[in-house]
Amino acid sequence: MFTHKEEDISKSELDRRMFILLAGQSLLFATLAGRLYKLQVLDTEKFTLQAEENRINVSVLQPERGRIFDKNGYYLATNIQNLQLYIIPEQTQSVHDTLKKLQKIITLSNEKIAYLLEKNKTMANFEKLRVADNMSWNDFSKMGFYSPKLPGVHLFSGVTRTYPFGSSLAHVVGYTAKPNSQEAGQDILLKQNDFQIGKIGTEKTHEDVLRGKMGQKQYEINAHGRVVRELSKTHAQSGQDIVITIDARLQNFIFKRFNNQSGAAVVIDVKNGDIVAMVSAPSYDPKSFTKGISRNEWRKLTNDPYKPLLAKAHAGLYPPGSVFKMVVALAAMQYKNWDPETIVNCPGYYRMGGRLMRCWKREGHGRLDLTYALKKSCDVYFYTMAQKIGIETIAEMGYEMGLSTAYENIGFNNIKKGILPTPQWKKETFGKVWYPGETVIAGIGQGFVTTTPLELAMMTARIAAGKKIMPRLLTSVGNAGPYGREDISHFKKQPRKGFEELPINDEYMKIVRDGMWSVVNEWGGTAYRSRLGLSDFEMVGKTGTAQVIKIQEGTEELSQDEIKREHRDHALFVAYAPYHDPRYALSIIVEHGKSGSKTAAPIAKDIMQYIYNTNRE
């Protein structure tokens, strides 16, 4: 039995403990209430966003690439239907068994099957496994019949880039391929597995215009990642179409005319500077890079001695040989008051100290004035002229005539520029002094002098027009619609300014032009056999033959046919037509072609004849 006092103590202790318990419970509930308030009120926006991100997925909608047209509206690069076959693994009983069944219907190698099985291991079961690209209509039709009997097999029609003129325009148009990690960066569109960008040529230069803008599709997915419903969609914007100055039919004709020879040709419209043809031969199939080039094919291209990957027309550097003599002649008359009637005797050699420098004609040309020296391409005349006027004078005129100029305004990323050497250039480049003999040899376009075929075409266009012609490749931007060739007239034209007059006496220009006329149209000219014989479309020009290696003692009597191909001379020819109202200027180089008059000039004749016939149609 408790006494009253003990009962009071027990009751007091109980009350104290109850108070502590209630206080603890109150504190716990207050903490929980505060946490709930923070989660439900203060952090509601944060967690709502996280919930949406878990529930909503976004996919990229790729834009269709803009097309490239030639000046007449022919497709140079366009998009065609790409028939594809996919497998969705979760819809099949066995990916391996399905692939083996497909192998009996379409061409599918064991190596490809092994690759697809390995790739499938890194993918989610609901993702598409692409089995075939660019299927033939025959295979696609067969799969249309069999696919309902093959669970998980799906057919899809997409687009792929194609180049109707193939190899003939590969170095100008370029190609598209998957971007590397550096090119892709953080761009979501460029990270798409099958998205391609321009890699070289026009495709790369005008990538921003051709690419277009991506769209997006938002859709709801469940916990397993499967699509429940589409929520919103922003359509992709197709890239714009562009028109370039190239005449695809002329380009294709020239490419075929090279007939397995290695070299380049450039044709310029003298009136506006448009590049109507820019051929590098041999070439490659751009489709190989778009599809994904094999190691064997890449090795074959890189090891080919004819260098099909090199864009020779604008990135090949060559000694210009005798086609450079017009520059030397203009420099002598304009800057050093050289009298074009000055007579120089050619005994077949030029004596430089104790060294004899040979003319191409061993027995010599005898007594010549400037016009006759151009007609006969006499080396001794230009040895003499170069020594009299000096290398700086020659270089100054070379720049005026458009040489050693990269012409970056046409946009290619690999345009080279030639060399117009001077004593300062040699000192800075090699740390050596300039010798008088180097000036003499530069007078016939040899030694350190190098040019590109594009530069030589521009030089010729400037001689023809008497103006500072500048080249152009892009003419307009627009959207041709579905029919393309029938509707490019409304494209937005690129602005084109007039050209400045060359600071060269008209009489001096006429003397050089007359010399070029004699080369082709007067009996005894070095290109007389390549004359057109058209009174209303006379071609004038200049032949050139450039040594590739220095002739060694004891081997100089060997004919070009007796030495290795890679040691034979390059063959060059520059020309324009018509003589009295110039419209087209061109340059030709045939690598190791041995003779400008026998190899390069006939190609130029055929090109000008084609242009004449085409314009009459």
Side-chain angles (χ1 to χ4, degrees):
M1 296 293 295
F2 292 106
T3 63
H4 290 292
K5 185 175 183 179
E6 289 173 334
E7 288 179 358
D8 291 340
I9 293 173
S10 297
K11 186 177 180 181
S12 174
E13 180 66 20
L14 181 62
D15 290 343
R16 185 178 67 82
R17 291 178 180 177
M18 289 293 293
F19 175 78
I20 293 173
L21 179 62
L22 289 173
Q25 289 178 334
S26 298
L27 180 61
L28 177 61
F29 282 119
T31 301
L32 289 173
R35 180 61 175 166
L36 287 172
Y37 178 78
K38 185 176 186 301
L39 292 174
Q40 294 182 352
V41 179
L42 299 182
D43 290 344
T44 183
E45 184 176 351
K46 171 184 174 182
F47 287 104
T48 298
L49 178 60
Q50 289 182 357
E52 286 294 310
E53 289 175 344
N54 287 331
R55 185 175 63 88
I56 298 173
N57 204 347
V58 178
S59 66
V60 171
L61 300 178
Q62 298 182 15
E64 185 168 332
R65 192 170 181 84
R67 297 161 293 183
I68 302 173
F69 297 90
D70 87 330
K71 62 180 293 186
N72 298 310
Y74 287 100
Y75 289 119
L76 305 183
T78 187
N79 310 303
I80 60 170
Q81 188 178 49
N82 180 5
L83 304 177
Q84 301 170 321
L85 186 152
Y86 290 92
I87 290 177
I88 299 179
E90 71 172 3
Q91 297 176 0
T92 69
Q93 293 183 350
S94 167
V95 173
H96 176 273
D97 292 347
T98 301
L99 289 171
K100 283 297 183 180
K101 291 176 182 178
L102 289 174
Q103 193 177 37
K104 297 177 181 178
I105 305 171
I106 61 174
T107 302
L108 197 60
S109 67
N110 291 330
E111 291 77 13
K112 181 67 178 289
I113 289 177
Y115 165 77
L116 291 170
L117 291 173
E118 283 298 315
K119 185 178 181 181
N120 183 50
K121 293 177 182 178
T122 65
M123 298 169 54
N125 267 343
F126 58 84
E127 289 186 291
K128 296 176 181 178
L129 177 65
R130 186 162 54 186
V131 176
D133 253 331
N134 299 296
M135 297 174 66
S136 68
W137 180 250
N138 185 50
D139 282 349
F140 194 76
S141 299
K142 283 195 293 185
M143 286 310 309
F145 176 78
Y146 286 107
S147 60
K149 304 173 185 178
L150 296 171
V153 173
H154 298 271
L155 297 173
F156 178 74
S157 178
V159 294
T160 191
R161 200 67 163 172
T162 189
Y163 303 95
F165 286 88
S167 300
S168 68
L169 272 154
H171 294 103
V172 176
V173 176
Y175 58 83
T176 61
K178 184 176 174 58
N180 58 41
S181 57
Q182 184 177 359
E183 291 169 328
Q186 299 303 312
D187 193 309
I188 298 174
L189 179 60
L190 270 58
K191 286 180 175 292
Q192 302 303 300
N193 284 335
D194 54 351
F195 191 76
Q196 296 187 334
I197 62 171
K199 288 289 187 173
I200 65 168
T202 305
E203 289 276 31
K204 178 179 176 65
T205 302
H206 301 290
E207 172 67 22
D208 291 344
V209 175
L210 294 167
R211 182 187 301 178
K213 296 181 180 180
M214 73 175 190
Q216 285 189 339
K217 182 170 69 174
Q218 286 190 334
Y219 49 90
E220 186 178 359
I221 58 174
N222 62 20
H224 300 288
R226 296 188 182 88
V227 176
V228 176
R229 62 190 174 102
E230 183 179 304
L231 299 176
S232 66
K233 184 176 183 179
T234 303
H235 292 282
Q237 296 180 26
S238 297
Q240 289 186 286
D241 301 323
I242 64 173
V243 179
I244 63 176
T245 59
I246 294 293
D247 182 332
R249 293 175 297 174
L250 174 62
Q251 176 93 4
N252 203 45
F253 172 81
I254 297 172
F255 183 75
K256 290 180 178 179
R257 177 60 180 81
F258 265 87
N259 192 27
N260 299 321
Q261 292 174 303
S262 177
V266 179
V267 182
I268 303 291
D269 188 327
V270 175
K271 300 296 185 183
N272 51 28
D274 286 358
I275 302 172
V276 293
M278 190 157 63
V279 174
S280 296
S283 187
Y284 59 89
D285 186 355
K287 185 169 59 177
S288 297
F289 289 87
T290 298
K291 287 185 175 181
I293 192 166
S294 68
R295 290 183 180 179
N296 287 338
E297 190 173 359
W298 173 253
R299 192 179 298 112
K300 183 179 179 181
L301 288 171
T302 54
N303 292 336
D304 191 325
Y306 285 74
K307 300 180 180 178
L309 293 176
L310 176 62
K312 299 179 179 74
H314 60 270
L317 294 172
Y318 307 93
S322 293
V323 301
F324 190 65
K325 289 173 180 175
M326 284 95 73
V327 171
V328 180
L330 288 169
M333 291 186 290
Q334 182 69 28
Y335 301 138
K336 297 296 182 179
N337 297 316
W338 181 280
D339 186 345
E341 296 183 2
T342 298
I343 300 298
V344 173
N345 182 54
C346 171
Y349 61 85
Y350 178 83
R351 188 177 296 278
M352 184 75 183
R355 180 185 175 192
L356 292 182
M357 305 180 74
R358 296 286 185 181
C359 183
W360 71 266
K361 188 176 182 181
R362 289 307 178 91
E363 63 272 26
H365 290 97
R367 294 168 58 81
L368 317 91
D369 64 5
L370 177 54
T371 302
Y372 197 58
L374 285 169
K375 172 183 174 180
K376 292 294 187 179
S377 197
C378 176
D379 293 335
V380 170
Y381 192 98
F382 288 94
Y383 288 150
T384 305
M385 180 179 277
Q387 182 63 23
K388 292 283 187 182
I389 68 176
I391 192 64
E392 290 95 339
T393 302
I394 295 171
E396 184 178 353
M397 181 55 70
Y399 287 119
E400 289 288 356
M401 302 311 294
L403 303 180
S404 192
T405 304
Y407 295 114
E408 295 174 348
N409 62 302
I410 66 174
F412 286 161
N413 62 331
N414 63 336
I415 290 183
K416 303 292 185 184
K417 67 176 183 177
I419 297 171
L420 291 169
T422 62
Q424 182 181 354
W425 168 86
K426 188 181 178 187
K427 185 70 174 177
E428 293 174 353
T429 306
F430 301 108
K432 296 180 179 180
V433 299
W434 185 266
Y435 296 106
E438 292 170 329
T439 299
V440 173
I441 199 68
I444 62 166
Q446 294 278 178
F448 291 115
V449 181
T450 60
T451 56
T452 68
L454 174 60
E455 289 176 348
L456 291 178
M458 295 310 304
M459 174 196 76
T460 310
R462 290 187 177 196
I463 291 173
K467 296 180 179 181
K468 291 185 178 180
I469 306 295
M470 293 296 290
R472 177 174 68 165
L473 191 62
L474 177 69
T475 60
S476 50
V477 177
N479 194 321
Y483 297 106
R485 185 169 180 262
E486 290 79 3
D487 187 22
I488 62 170
S489 59
H490 64 282
F491 279 26
K492 182 180 179 181
K493 302 291 184 182
Q494 299 297 304
R496 191 65 167 163
K497 297 180 180 178
F499 302 118
E500 299 177 24
E501 297 286 333
L502 284 167
I504 302 172
N505 187 295
D506 288 341
E507 186 60 30
Y508 300 153
M509 293 293 286
K510 184 178 185 306
I511 289 168
V512 169
R513 292 171 188 147
D514 287 346
M516 294 173 69
W517 182 89
S518 298
V519 167
V520 180
N521 299 287
E522 196 168 84
W523 188 88
T526 55
Y528 181 68
R529 287 175 296 182
S530 294
R531 66 194 182 283
L532 289 175
L534 301 169
S535 59
D536 59 337
F537 201 78
E538 283 187 311
M539 177 178 73
V540 305
K542 181 69 188 75
T543 55
T545 303
Q547 283 186 359
V548 174
I549 62 169
K550 183 179 180 181
I551 300 298
Q552 300 298 316
E553 193 71 29
T555 63
E556 55 186 335
E557 298 301 328
L558 292 176
S559 71
Q560 289 288 298
D561 292 327
E562 293 176 298
I563 61 178
K564 294 180 180 179
R565 175 191 174 272
E566 60 266 27
H567 294 164
R568 294 172 186 167
D569 297 342
H570 293 321
L572 298 98
F573 189 71
V574 298
Y576 70 85
Y579 175 52
H580 293 293
D581 184 20
R583 178 63 191 275
Y584 298 100
L586 62 77
S587 68
I588 304 282
I589 181 167
V590 180
E591 292 182 330
H592 313 295
K594 300 182 288 189
S595 167
S597 60
K598 295 179 181 178
T599 308
I603 296 176
K605 175 186 177 180
D606 290 345
I607 293 171
M608 287 298 192
Q609 185 71 58
Y610 177 90
I611 291 172
Y612 177 76
N613 292 339
T614 303
N615 288 342
R616 285 166 58 91
E617 290 177 357

